[in-house]
Amino acid sequence: MYIVTFILSIGLLFSNLGHGANSPSFKLSWPTPNPAFARGLGYSTFLQKTGPDKKFTSGAYGCVRNNGYKFHEGLDLYPVKRDRGGKPEDSIYAAMDGVVSYVNPTPSYSAYGKYIVLEHPKLNPPLYSLYAHLDAITPNLKRGSTVVIAQAIGKMGNSSSGYRIPLERSHLHFEIGLRLTDKFQNWYDKKSFSSKNRHENFSGFNLVGLDPLAFYSKYKNKSLSNPIDFIKSLPTTVIVQVKTKNTPDFIKRYPTLTTPKTTSMNNGWIVTFGPYGIPIQIKPVEAMIAAKEKQIKILKFNSDTQKKPCRRLTVQKGSQFFPTEQLQTYLELIFGL
Ligand SMILES: [Zn+2]
């Protein structure tokens, strides 16, 4: 009986999230066996809310926590099948074809608990996807393992360090996004964290998520043939000039979001950020930045995109705008400042 249900669900996912107008190289699959999203049902049919008296949107992406003051960087998806003890039985599936980049098998090492990060090198741009709070990771998967879309990569759970997720609120925390740097350890070493970095380049600090529901919705409506179209459609939040001789590795990883430097007579970059600080374009400055200029200068700021109280990127003092700590951190990570 279980197998029949399982195959039905998968069949549904593929027929409803089918590729149609999308490019044959880009396919997306829902990361859990729940067919609700594919069927066009509402939030309550798949999002795990943070408490019994909370709204289902507390499991969505954005400023959805602590009265809007706390950011949630992905989706929380609840299980559709539990055993007699209440433990989820849902398998977790790879959202896209990709490669295993990181596995954290030790729940106490991360607020993500047991988690796995895939990277999708054949996509434009090569996104990451992250699957957290797992009960188990499929045993033979390790760094470098190739995975195909909808392949089972783990089992849903409630693993976490610190804050305990109650069994009844077991869920998959699911993210899709961009990775800021290949040299995360350098940044980490400059900060005075009390514990060591156990996750190499795959710490949450170094991963910036986009809104998975918006991404899946566009795919489902056949208005997304490639992830780059989604990123290009995001509104600009802030444009920043950064004075540095450093060349970010972000440029090598995401060539379609960036322009390389063509001359060494160049001392900076212009970065465009989308919602909540996802970098959507990086290009070299056209003229040398004067020595007296600040290292970080806000060139443009779209106040419409910052009405929500969380993850603000700029702060206004008098008539001037300054980077928030969050924006400062993103720039430190991208440019090795
Ligand atoms: Zn979450």
Side-chain angles (χ1 to χ4, degrees), residues 189-208:
D189 289 343
K190 286 186 216 162
K191 304 281 163 185
S192 317
F193 290 107
S194 54
S195 57
K196 64 178 193 173
N197 167 35
R198 298 186 188 271
H199 310 295
E200 303 165 29
N201 286 320
F202 301 93
S203 154
F205 283 110
N206 196 25
L207 304 170
V208 184

Side-chain angles (χ1 to χ4, degrees), residues 115-228:
Y115 73 99
I116 181 165
V117 183
L118 307 181
E119 285 187 295
H120 306 282
K122 288 186 181 155
L123 296 187
N124 171 22
L127 302 168
Y128 79 84
S129 58
L130 179 147
Y131 311 79
H133 307 312
L134 300 178
D135 179 63
I137 291 164
T138 300
N140 55 354
L141 289 181
K142 36 180 138 8
R143 186 196 310 264
S145 301
T146 301
V147 294
V148 295
I149 184 166
Q151 179 179 330
I153 54 174
K155 198 171 154 233
M156 194 182 288
N158 62 338
S159 65
S160 177
S161 70
Y163 176 75
R164 196 182 68 84
I165 301 169
L167 189 63
E168 64 271 20
R169 262 194 273 139
S170 297
H171 63 269
L172 169 71
H173 171 91
F174 175 58
E175 283 181 29
I176 302 177
L178 301 172
R179 184 159 60 79
L180 297 178
T181 180
D182 283 339
K183 296 172 187 149
F184 179 71
Q185 190 64 48
N186 290 358
W187 177 83
Y188 201 90
D189 289 343
K190 286 186 216 162
K191 304 281 163 185
S192 317
F193 290 107
S194 54
S195 57
K196 64 178 193 173
N197 167 35
R198 298 186 188 271
H199 310 295
E200 303 165 29
N201 286 320
F202 301 93
S203 154
F205 283 110
N206 196 25
L207 304 170
V208 184
L210 48 80
D211 182 353
L213 266 189
F215 190 70
Y216 273 79
S217 298
K218 281 202 168 186
Y219 179 83
K220 199 176 148 208
N221 300 336
K222 314 261 189 276
S223 55
L224 186 64
S225 57
N226 215 305
I228 192 86

